[in-house]
């Protein structure tokens, strides 16, 4: 067996299965505690860091200096109320998930920012407001903005942990074994003692690209503790459909994660008794568009929109209140399932797209990812941001026109069906515009836009002043076809607050830990049914830190 650093060890104190963010954090913590750590990953070294590398770098923080500077009044009590209202825990197996939720909110309101700051992580000062909800005070959504973007996006979060592990490699205490695919856990008297798997053929594919599964040999490694950090299922559409609520997932979906996110090793843990729960709880996005420069198969990107575009179903009808852009992802997805069509639409204009459209991902935000202040400053200039303009020009999901009737024709042509009535679309836009020009109005979305502009970040860079959408000076009109985009599993392996994997009776399996998406980010589903956003990377950080520290204690000499 070979790795980048010579023959792969036959034994270690701690084995980490998966080299994404939660795995790297787990490994770094175990190494910090003086343990000898082996990290296994089925992908080549080019994909080190997993999904986190591609992320926008948003983290959920509570009562942060950035919030307070913007006049946002937040607290752990308010955040927990929002979390529980969104999670809607309703199952007996949610016991540990709820405990993880409470622990995570306290972490986000406590040491999380200081811990990351000490590691060198910095934040963009303008906090964003994701998942606004729009229901009552105890319903889904963030009552205040909590989405803090890391300076450097996803790669900026990975950097300190990669640096620490490089130190460990140099010291002979950490080893990476790429192209080593874990297949099963080794047991001795009910205790997990190591991992068996397959060595895969070397691969020169670039980061995120699909790699081969050609097997060249087998391996087995013993350890005092094994931490499972193999992620979710978003790259495995058959598994997504099988686990979809009621077993009827969309026929066509875009893929928001690399193909390696296949969910297979969760089943290996289940075979040794690990309780896999809440698998029907998932977090996919309804605002997916095709990536014109794809990296992995069926590669989609999520549009991060401000609240101004009209969201229409496939037949041109506005979605019900409060299913506006950025308010309730799961509620929107569930509603669109009832329409019988595989797509929906944003309808907007040039003024709205210039200020309100962003794209989720490190590669779509080169200014933040590259920590380029001069490039970032260009966002304040008039016109459409470069990455958005590129996808507006090259993307297959965008159409533009000077009139609503012409736009409807192009929308119908794009989907090869006469689903949109041109005159009805014109009247929908006219009715919306009358609400704006009245100065007051009853349209809930217009009032939500006005309310959003009370928040500094939204007024400066995210929400355009209400205006007549059909006004020529704001044109042309734009329609964007939207498709379901796979992303995250919210269920997973049940873990206690020490990140130990539990069996169906609630007892820990000795020697076995799990973190990140494989554990539902803690407890088998700490988000419940809905995410407040910024909680996936944060969940990897928190559960990975917990698993690494406690696994190190288990293997203490």
């Amino acid at each position: 067996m070979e790795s980048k650093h010579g023959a792969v060890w036959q034994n270690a104190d701690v084995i980490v299965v998966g080299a994404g963010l939660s795995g790297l954090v787990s490994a770094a913590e175990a190494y910090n505690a003086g343990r000898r750590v082996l990290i296994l990953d089925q992908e080549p070294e080019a994909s080190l860091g997993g999904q986190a590398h591609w992320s926008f770098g948003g983290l959920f923080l509570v009562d942060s200096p950035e919030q307070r500077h913007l006049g946002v009044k937040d607290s752990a009590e308010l955040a927990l109320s929002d979390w529980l209202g969104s999670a809607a825990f309703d199952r007996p197996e949610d016991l540990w998930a709820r405990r993880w939720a409470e622990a995570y909110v306290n972490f986000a309101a406590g040491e999380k920012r200081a811990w990351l700051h000490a590691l060198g992580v910095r934040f963009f000062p303008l906090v964003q407001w994701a998942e606004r909800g729009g229901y009552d005070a105890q319903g889904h959504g963030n009552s205040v903005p909590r989405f803090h973007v890391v300076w450097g996006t996803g790669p900026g979060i990975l950097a300190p942990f990669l640096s620490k592990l490089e130190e460990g490699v140099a010291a002979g205490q950490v080893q990476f074994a790429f192209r080593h695919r874990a297949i099963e856990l080794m047991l001795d008297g009910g205790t997990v003692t190591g991992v068996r798997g397959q060595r895969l053929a070397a691969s020169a594919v670039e980061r995120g690209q699909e790699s081969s599964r050609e097997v060249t040999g087998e391996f087995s490694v013993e350890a005092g503790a094994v931490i499972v950090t193999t992620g979710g299922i978003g790259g495995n559409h058959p598994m997504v459909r099988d686990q979809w609520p009621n077993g009827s997932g969309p026929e066509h979906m875009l893929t928001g994660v690399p193909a390696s996110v296949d969910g297979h090793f969760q089943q290996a843990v289940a075979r040794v008794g690990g309780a896999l729960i809440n698998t029907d709880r998932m977090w996919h996005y309804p605002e997916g568009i095709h990536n014109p420069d794809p990296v992995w198969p069926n590669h989609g990107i999520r549009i991060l929109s401000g609240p101004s575009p009209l969201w229409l179903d496939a037949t041109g009808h506005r979605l019900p209140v409060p299913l506006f852009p950025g308010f309730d992802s799961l509620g929107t997805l569930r509603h669109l399932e009832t329409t019988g069509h595989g797509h929906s639409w944003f309808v907007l204009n040039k003024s709205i797209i210039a200020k309100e459209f962003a794209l989720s991902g490190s590669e779509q935000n080169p200014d933040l990812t590259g920590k380029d202040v001069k490039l970032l400053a260009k966002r304040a200039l008039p016109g459409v941001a470069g990455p958005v303009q590129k996808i507006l020009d090259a993307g297959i999901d965008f159409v533009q026109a000077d009139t609503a009737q012409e736009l409807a024709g192009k929308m119908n042509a794009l989907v090869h069906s006469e689903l949109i009535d041109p005159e009805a679309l014109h009247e929908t836009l006219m009715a919306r515009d009358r609400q704006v020009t009245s100065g007051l109005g009853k349209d809930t979305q217009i009032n939500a836009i006005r309310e959003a502009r009370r928040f500094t970040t939204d007024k400066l860079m995210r929400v355009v002043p209400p205006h007549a959408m059909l006004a020529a000076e704001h044109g042309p009109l734009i329609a964007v076809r939207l498709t379901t985009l796979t992303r995250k599993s919210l269920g997973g392996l049940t873990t206690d607050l020490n990140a130990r994997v539990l069996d169906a009776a609630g007892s820990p399996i000795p020697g076995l830990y799990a973190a990140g998406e494989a554990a539902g980010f803690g407890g088998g589903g700490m988000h419940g049914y809905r995410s407040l956003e910024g909680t996936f990377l944060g969940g990897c950080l928190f559960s990975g830190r917990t698993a690494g520290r406690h696994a190190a204690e288990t293997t203490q000499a």
Side-chain angles (χ1 to χ4, degrees):
M1 294 182 291
E2 296 296 321
S3 79
K4 178 185 176 184
H5 303 286
V8 172
W9 299 337
Q10 297 299 302
N11 57 73
D13 295 323
V14 176
I15 296 172
V16 177
V17 186
L21 177 59
S22 59
L24 297 177
V25 175
S26 297
E29 290 293 334
Y31 162 66
N32 273 335
R35 302 297 167 264
R36 196 164 178 259
V37 183
L38 174 65
I39 305 164
L40 304 172
D41 199 277
Q42 66 184 0
E43 297 307 301
E45 185 178 3
S47 288
L48 180 61
Q51 296 174 64
H53 173 87
W54 301 99
S55 76
F56 190 37
L59 290 177
F60 177 92
L61 295 174
V62 178
D63 192 26
S64 69
E66 290 80 13
Q67 286 175 300
R68 293 194 295 271
H69 182 73
L70 294 169
V72 175
K73 298 178 181 179
D74 200 6
S75 68
E77 293 77 15
L78 180 60
L80 183 59
S81 176
D82 287 348
W83 191 292
L84 296 179
S86 299
F89 294 122
D90 61 357
R91 297 173 178 174
E93 57 265 40
D94 286 333
L95 170 67
W96 285 106
R98 184 181 180 116
R99 290 178 180 176
W100 269 92
E102 293 169 351
Y104 178 70
V105 170
N106 287 331
F107 175 64
E111 64 175 312
K112 179 180 179 181
R113 186 185 182 281
W115 174 61
L116 290 171
H117 197 272
L119 293 172
V121 175
R122 298 294 182 266
F123 297 96
F124 184 58
L126 297 178
V127 183
Q128 308 290 309
W129 198 346
E131 287 296 304
R132 300 173 191 233
Y135 303 95
D136 63 33
Q138 293 178 296
H140 169 62
N142 284 295
S143 298
V144 298
R146 299 189 175 106
F147 191 84
H148 296 65
V149 178
V150 168
W151 189 232
T153 65
I157 296 174
L158 289 166
F161 304 103
L162 290 171
S163 177
K164 175 57 67 173
L165 292 171
E166 287 172 6
E167 172 193 304
V169 169
Q173 287 292 104
V174 173
Q175 186 179 58
F176 287 94
F178 299 105
R179 303 299 283 161
H180 281 67
R181 187 185 190 193
I183 298 296
E184 63 178 346
L185 293 163
M186 296 160 54
L187 286 175
D188 183 3
T191 296
V192 171
T193 59
V195 175
R196 292 191 185 94
Q198 299 169 333
R199 284 180 285 143
L200 303 180
S203 174
V205 300
E206 297 181 4
R207 178 184 293 277
Q209 291 181 337
E210 192 171 17
S211 63
S212 80
R213 292 293 177 262
E214 179 188 349
V215 177
T216 62
E218 297 180 346
F219 72 90
S220 63
V221 186
E222 296 181 350
V226 175
I227 305 175
V228 177
T229 61
T230 50
I233 67 172
N236 186 338
H237 284 203
M239 189 176 289
V240 169
R241 292 190 184 93
D242 286 345
Q243 296 184 10
W244 199 274
N246 303 318
S248 57
E251 180 178 346
H252 175 65
M253 297 180 287
L254 298 175
T255 308
V257 295
S260 57
V261 186
D262 56 27
H264 291 318
F265 199 70
Q266 287 185 356
Q267 302 303 317
V269 179
R271 286 194 291 272
V272 299
L276 186 59
I277 62 172
N278 297 321
T279 57
D280 61 328
R281 294 178 181 168
M282 295 178 276
W283 191 252
H284 307 306
Y285 292 113
E287 313 103 317
I289 58 173
H290 295 80
N291 188 338
D293 188 19
V295 177
W296 52 78
N298 205 29
H299 189 170
I301 309 170
R302 183 195 178 198
I303 292 176
L304 299 174
S305 176
S308 296
L310 290 185
W311 204 330
L312 310 180
D313 66 21
T315 62
H317 294 92
R318 288 180 71 176
L319 304 193
V321 174
L323 304 183
F324 315 131
F327 278 66
D328 181 2
S329 294
L330 183 66
T332 303
L333 191 63
R334 293 290 178 259
H335 173 77
L336 292 172
E337 284 185 87
T338 69
T339 67
H341 297 281
H343 68 279
S344 62
W345 297 95
F346 279 162
V347 172
L348 59 157
N349 59 28
K350 192 69 171 287
S351 292
I352 294 172
I353 201 171
K355 191 163 187 174
E356 298 201 10
F357 262 31
L359 302 169
S360 179
S362 57
E363 75 275 28
Q364 277 82 38
N365 294 274
D367 48 0
L368 291 166
T369 301
K371 303 180 182 181
D372 189 328
V373 176
K374 290 182 178 180
L375 188 59
L376 180 65
K378 292 183 178 180
R379 293 198 184 209
L381 299 175
V384 180
V388 176
Q389 185 65 56
K390 177 183 176 181
I391 209 161
L392 177 60
D393 294 337
I396 65 172
D397 298 296
F398 292 76
V399 294
Q400 302 181 56
D402 292 326
T403 68
Q405 293 90 338
E406 182 187 359
L407 189 71
K410 291 185 176 183
M411 294 163 73
N412 288 333
L414 186 62
V415 299
H416 308 291
S417 182
E418 300 295 316
L419 293 173
I420 307 289
D421 182 288
E423 292 304 324
L425 179 60
H426 175 75
E427 181 52 37
T428 295
L429 295 178
M430 284 292 296
R432 179 257 182 213
D433 287 356
R434 292 187 197 106
Q435 295 292 305
V436 174
T437 56
S438 73
L440 294 173
K442 62 184 180 182
D443 189 292
T444 305
Q445 183 173 5
I446 300 301
N447 291 331
I449 294 167
R450 290 176 176 139
E451 185 68 15
R453 284 180 54 80
R454 292 177 55 205
F455 174 51
T456 302
T457 299
D458 283 346
K459 186 172 183 178
L460 287 175
M461 61 177 293
R462 285 294 287 159
V463 184
V464 71
H467 60 274
M469 196 177 289
L470 290 171
E473 62 269 25
H474 294 287
L477 294 171
I478 300 167
V480 188
R481 178 181 57 184
L482 307 173
T483 305
T484 299
L485 176 73
T486 65
R487 188 61 63 88
K488 296 295 180 185
S489 309
L490 297 187
L493 299 165
T494 313
T495 56
D496 65 12
L497 289 180
N498 290 336
R500 299 181 297 179
V501 175
L502 306 180
D503 63 20
S507 299
I509 298 174
L512 185 59
Y513 298 79
E517 195 173 350
F521 303 92
M526 73 174 188
H527 296 91
Y529 288 94
R530 282 175 164 90
S531 167
L532 289 174
E533 292 289 17
T535 57
F536 300 136
L537 293 173
C540 289
L541 293 168
F542 184 51
S543 61
R545 190 177 84 149
T546 301
R549 291 181 178 183
H550 286 283
E553 289 178 4
T554 299
T555 57
Q556 186 170 3

